[in-house]
Amino acid sequence: MERVTNMASERPVMIFSKSSCYMCHTIRTLFAEFGVNPVVHELDQIPRGMEVEQALLRLGCSPAVPAVFIGGELVGGANEVMSLHLNGSLIPMLRRAGALP
């Protein structure tokens, strides 16, 4: 878990994803439309991706992907990100993290 939290604190927005996950693609597209350039780790394409996936599950991500971190903090998966977007909280959160001007 420490590896995941260290990775997540490296950039304002980090997404743990899988290349075959359509909800992961949806979340990446949402951020791209805002002009946010997140770091994306495709767990099915990186060394030790299965270990990272297990750590995300232990952190409470269910399913493990997409797992979105903003400002080093776990926001959650697609449902949580979309809820934040719909209630108007996502953009201010991205600004506070330095992902948007």
Side-chain angles (χ1 to χ4, degrees), residues 11-88:
R11 295 285 297 273
V13 179
M14 184 162 297
I15 301 172
F16 292 94
S17 175
K18 285 189 177 178
S19 58
S20 61
C21 170
Y22 73 92
M23 288 308 293
C24 297
H25 175 74
T26 301
I27 296 301
R28 287 192 309 267
T29 301
L30 176 69
F31 284 118
E33 288 178 5
F34 293 152
V36 173
N37 187 22
V39 172
V40 179
H41 291 284
E42 300 286 357
L43 300 184
D44 55 342
Q45 298 178 354
I46 63 170
R48 300 175 65 186
M50 184 62 83
E51 289 177 31
V52 173
E53 184 174 356
Q54 292 301 314
L56 290 168
L57 289 169
R58 286 192 299 278
L59 284 172
C61 298
S62 181
V65 295
V68 178
F69 288 78
I70 299 175
E73 298 294 321
L74 175 63
V75 171
N79 288 341
E80 291 80 11
V81 170
M82 293 308 293
S83 292
L84 289 169
H85 175 50
L86 292 173
N87 74 24

